[in-house]
């Protein structure tokens, strides 16, 4: 987009000081999610016979993109899928694994990809595993058995069975989800907060009897709009507070009824969701007189056009049907960037976050069966945030021109954060939410001793509907910003309309 349009009368401004910080970024903030849903697994990460497949059937072209994306943790196997899943179906010789109906996504599950293939994929991707247990149709005993199979070194029936299946070394999974979205009536085995809280506590206690060093995630609300939000968290944590480390949050956003102004401000809702959940966690801790602090696992978030999904007739028991394959515009990518900023701005409490999902299903990476893999527009803000968002988040309190939205009222045009790495370099992440006008930015960085602008990368396009497709996979990509400078300790830049910006200073 051109920066020649008339800018607002005043610039957005903020001051950075090393004495004022939010917290250290946990690298697991840059996680992703692989579920047995649509083509995320089959013809996504896993496609035996593909020209780029390795000896285990993993697509190496996809692995290359996953490493470029900078994913640090991968949650698996669901999602709604996990609440009806028998983990035993996905171990042992692939040719002997059973085919099952998956009512969560009305699909046929072949189980050709299971626990061993997942562990291999995560290892090759350079990420950490995050495994969910089924607390919908199963419970304490099955969770204990899965933990023994996955993590015990050997000398027991289940650990020896893993070795017999070809994986002599344990998988070493430290991070576990106690079910998925159990507050949702759509969930197989849906429970009340009291029912789930009791089951989660007993499952956590049993798992910790095997390994006290595990990190456990209790199910929080599957959306801030849920009628039970906050009351659910309070009830669940009253049962599990001393047994778990994190509580989950899930949130998806989409443009509705042409209200792009509100869509661009989606992070307002995400930040409120985080802050309200933190308040609930701390209230429970205060009631229990506990010095422990529960952190957040925002283990499902993204732009997802759910109305399109619900308007379609579900498939009739197909293998790996094309489901939820949203084709993302540059506008969607700017919103994804803003959601990443929201997570970084709360790095003191958000310890884990997983963009849902990794390949094909509302994903930054797309593939064609037997064909290529390519980057969606949303690939770029995630990859840049993961690469440059490591270190300590600086407190950004901006003064910014505002605009009015139908959903959130008056919202600042600027959404920004900044991260200082161990060497003292600083990266500013900034979104201009305005659709039409460029936004001047001034940042006082004198206290940081910075000397130069290393790079200003911009993701924006004259066509807000521009997308990367199979026919044109390189249509949208970041480009250099113009005129950005650092003089007398003040950073000055112009943020293009509706843009994601990464400004690196050293």
């Amino acid at each position: 987009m051109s920066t020649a349009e008339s800018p607002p009368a005043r610039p957005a401004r903020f001051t950075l000081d090393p004495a004022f910080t939010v917290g250290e970024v946990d690298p697991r903030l840059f996680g992703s999610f692989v579920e047995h849903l649509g083509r995320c697994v089959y013809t996504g990460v896993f496609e035996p016979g593909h020209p780029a497949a390795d000896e285990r059937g993993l697509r190496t072209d996809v692995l290359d993109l996953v490493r470029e994306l900078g994913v640090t943790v991968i949650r698996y196997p669901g999602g709604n899928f996990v609440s009806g899943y028998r983990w035993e179906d996905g171990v042992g010789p692939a040719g002997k694994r059973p085919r099952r109906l998956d009512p969560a996504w009305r699909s046929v599950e072949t189980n050709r990809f299971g626990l061993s293939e997942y562990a291999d994929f995560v290892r090759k991707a350079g990420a950490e595993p995050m495994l969910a247990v089924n607390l919908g149709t199963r419970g304490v005993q099955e969770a204990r058995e899965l933990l023994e199979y996955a993590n015990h070194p050997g000398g027991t029936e289940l650990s020896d069975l893993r070795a017999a299946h070809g994986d002599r070394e344990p998988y070493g999974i430290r991070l576990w989800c106690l079910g998925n979205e159990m507050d949702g009536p759509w969930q197989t085995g849906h429970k009340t907060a009291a029912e789930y809280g009791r089951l989660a506590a007993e499952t956590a206690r049993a798992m910790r009897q095997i390994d006290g060093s595990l990190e456990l995630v209790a199910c929080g609300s599957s959306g801030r709009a849920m009628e039970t939000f906050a009351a659910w968290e309070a009830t669940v944590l009253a049962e599990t507070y001393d047994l778990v480390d994190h509580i989950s949050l899930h949130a998806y956003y989409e443009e509705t009824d042409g209200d792009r102004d509100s869509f661009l401000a989606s992070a307002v809702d995400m930040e409120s969701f985080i802050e309200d959940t933190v308040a609930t966690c701390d209230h429970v801790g205060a009631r229990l007189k506990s010095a422990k602090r529960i952190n957040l696992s925002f283990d499902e978030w993204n732009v997802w056009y759910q109305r399109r999904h619900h308007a379609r007739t579900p498939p009739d028991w197909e293998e790996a049907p094309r489901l939820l394959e949203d084709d993302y515009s540059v506008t969607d990518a700017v919103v994804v960037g803003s959601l990443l900023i929201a997570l970084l701005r709360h790095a003191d409490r958000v310890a884990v976050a997983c963009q849902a999902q990794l390949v094909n299903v509302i994903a930054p990476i797309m593939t064609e069966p037997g064909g290529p893999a390519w980057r969606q527009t949303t690939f770029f803000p995630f990859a840049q945030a993961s690469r440059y968002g490591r270190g300590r988040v600086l407190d950004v309190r901006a003064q910014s021109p505002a605009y009015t939205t139908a959903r959130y009222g008056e919202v600042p045009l600027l959404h920004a954060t900044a991260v200082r790495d161990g060497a003292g370099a600083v990266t500013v992440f900034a979104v201009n939410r305005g659709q039409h006008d460029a936004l001047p930015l001034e940042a006082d960085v004198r206290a940081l001793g910075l000397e130069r602008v290393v790079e200003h990368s911009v993701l924006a396009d004259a066509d807000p509907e521009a997308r990367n497709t199979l026919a044109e996979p390189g249509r949208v990509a970041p480009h250099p910003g113009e005129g950005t400078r650092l003089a007398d300790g003040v950073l000055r830049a112009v943020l293009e309309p509706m843009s994601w910006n990464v400004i690196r200073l050293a």
Side-chain angles (χ1 to χ4, degrees):
M1 291 185 176
S2 169
T3 58
E5 299 175 65
S6 299
R10 59 188 177 90
R13 293 188 173 94
F14 59 81
T15 298
L16 298 180
D17 191 299
F20 297 95
T21 66
V22 173
E24 197 76 18
V25 178
D26 189 318
R28 297 176 301 179
L29 196 75
F30 306 109
S32 192
F33 178 28
V34 167
E35 180 175 2
H36 287 256
L37 160 56
R39 296 193 310 114
C40 185
V41 172
Y42 303 111
T43 73
V45 302
F46 180 77
E47 189 178 352
H50 188 280
D54 67 11
E55 71 285 353
R56 295 293 300 273
L58 300 174
R59 286 188 55 158
T60 58
D61 56 343
V62 171
L63 277 166
D64 288 343
L65 289 176
V66 172
R67 288 188 285 262
E68 181 185 337
L69 189 62
V71 169
T72 54
V73 64
I74 299 175
R75 180 172 174 250
Y76 175 83
N80 295 351
F81 173 81
V82 77
S83 292
Y85 182 51
R86 292 168 47 88
W87 68 266
E88 303 95 320
D89 291 345
V91 302
K96 295 183 179 180
R97 297 179 191 174
R99 292 166 60 88
R100 303 279 190 194
L101 294 181
D102 168 31
W105 301 108
R106 200 170 173 80
S107 305
V108 171
E109 174 55 52
T110 67
N111 288 301
R112 289 175 299 159
F113 185 98
L115 193 57
S116 178
E117 290 80 11
Y118 162 70
D120 187 47
F121 173 72
V122 170
R123 179 180 59 80
K124 290 173 179 175
E128 176 185 347
M130 180 181 189
L131 200 65
V133 300
N134 176 359
L135 293 188
T137 59
R138 310 190 89 183
V140 178
Q141 182 63 21
E142 292 84 0
R144 288 180 70 249
E145 290 172 352
L146 173 56
L147 175 59
E148 180 182 328
Y149 180 94
N151 280 10
H152 194 67
T156 66
E157 179 183 6
L158 291 172
S159 59
D160 288 347
L161 182 62
R162 182 197 67 243
H165 288 158
D167 291 324
R168 184 163 298 280
E169 294 300 318
Y171 301 136
I173 301 168
R174 315 313 309 166
L175 186 57
W176 295 76
C177 302
L178 301 174
N180 174 76
E181 293 187 355
M182 299 310 300
D183 63 327
W186 59 85
Q187 200 72 208
T188 305
H190 161 64
K191 293 170 175 59
T192 66
E195 290 168 339
Y196 169 72
R198 178 69 174 163
L199 176 58
E202 292 305 321
T203 305
R205 188 173 288 110
M207 294 177 74
R208 290 198 183 283
Q209 286 175 336
I210 295 174
D211 185 347
S213 69
L214 301 178
E215 283 189 68
L216 302 180
V217 182
C219 287
S221 294
S222 49
R224 187 167 175 250
M226 296 291 289
E227 290 185 6
T228 55
F229 170 57
W232 171 276
E233 281 79 359
T235 301
V236 169
L237 287 174
E239 291 279 358
T240 63
Y241 199 91
D242 292 329
L243 295 164
V244 302
D245 304 282
H246 315 284
I247 194 158
S248 70
L249 300 81
H250 293 176
Y252 296 99
Y253 301 95
E254 63 183 310
E255 183 178 332
T256 59
D257 303 320
D259 184 6
R260 183 158 291 175
D261 279 337
S262 294
F263 178 50
L264 288 162
S266 294
V268 170
D269 179 81
M270 178 183 259
E271 295 208 36
S272 295
F273 191 9
I274 291 170
E275 290 159 10
D276 290 349
T277 303
V278 166
T280 304
C281 292
D282 291 349
H283 171 68
V284 175
R287 279 172 40 206
L288 296 174
K289 299 178 176 60
S290 174
K292 179 180 180 179
R293 187 173 77 167
I294 297 292
N295 284 324
L296 309 187
S297 175
F298 215 128
D299 47 45
E300 288 188 32
W301 68 269
N302 207 349
V303 170
W304 174 18
Y305 287 88
Q306 296 187 63
R307 292 191 181 190
R308 298 176 190 167
H309 166 66
H310 293 307
R312 293 171 181 161
T313 303
D316 191 15
W317 307 114
E318 299 175 17
E319 290 182 26
R322 290 181 182 262
L323 292 175
L324 283 55
E325 297 195 9
D326 282 352
D327 185 17
Y328 289 122
S329 69
V330 69
T331 304
D332 299 322
V334 171
V335 173
V336 164
S338 189
L339 299 177
L340 285 159
I341 288 171
L343 294 170
L344 285 166
R345 286 172 59 86
H346 295 84
D348 57 327
R349 296 303 290 268
V350 180
V352 182
C354 302
Q355 187 185 39
Q357 291 185 12
L358 184 56
V359 185
N360 289 328
V361 175
I362 55 173
I365 299 169
M366 295 296 294
T367 71
E368 274 297 305
W374 67 95
R375 304 165 188 82
Q376 288 234 62
T377 59
T378 55
F379 183 99
F380 300 107
F382 189 103
Q384 291 177 314
S386 179
R387 183 174 182 180
Y388 300 118
R390 309 295 182 95
R392 180 160 288 272
V393 179
L394 301 175
D395 192 2
V396 173
R397 303 192 182 190
Q399 297 176 312
S400 170
Y403 72 113
T404 302
T405 68
R407 184 170 299 175
Y408 306 114
E410 191 171 81
V411 173
L413 286 170
L414 176 71
H415 191 213
T417 190
V419 180
R420 191 184 194 201
D421 69 20
V426 171
T427 300
V428 173
F429 301 101
V431 162
N432 176 8
R433 291 166 164 150
Q435 292 191 58
H436 308 295
D437 294 322
L439 178 65
L441 171 65
E442 295 180 3
D444 187 335
V445 297
R446 284 175 290 183
L448 294 165
L450 302 167
E451 298 179 350
R452 61 191 177 93
V453 175
V454 176
E455 179 188 20
H456 180 185
S457 170
V458 182
L459 188 66
D461 198 278
D463 177 6
E465 296 299 323
R467 303 162 196 270
N468 291 343
T469 64
L470 174 61
E472 198 175 3
R475 167 67 179 82
V476 177
H479 60 265
E482 297 180 2
T484 306
R485 63 192 188 279
L486 177 61
D488 300 323
V490 177
L491 167 69
R492 289 179 173 84
V494 176
L495 310 184
E496 297 181 24
M498 208 163 63
S499 62
W500 156 261
N501 299 263
V502 179
I503 305 173
R504 298 168 53 216
L505 309 170

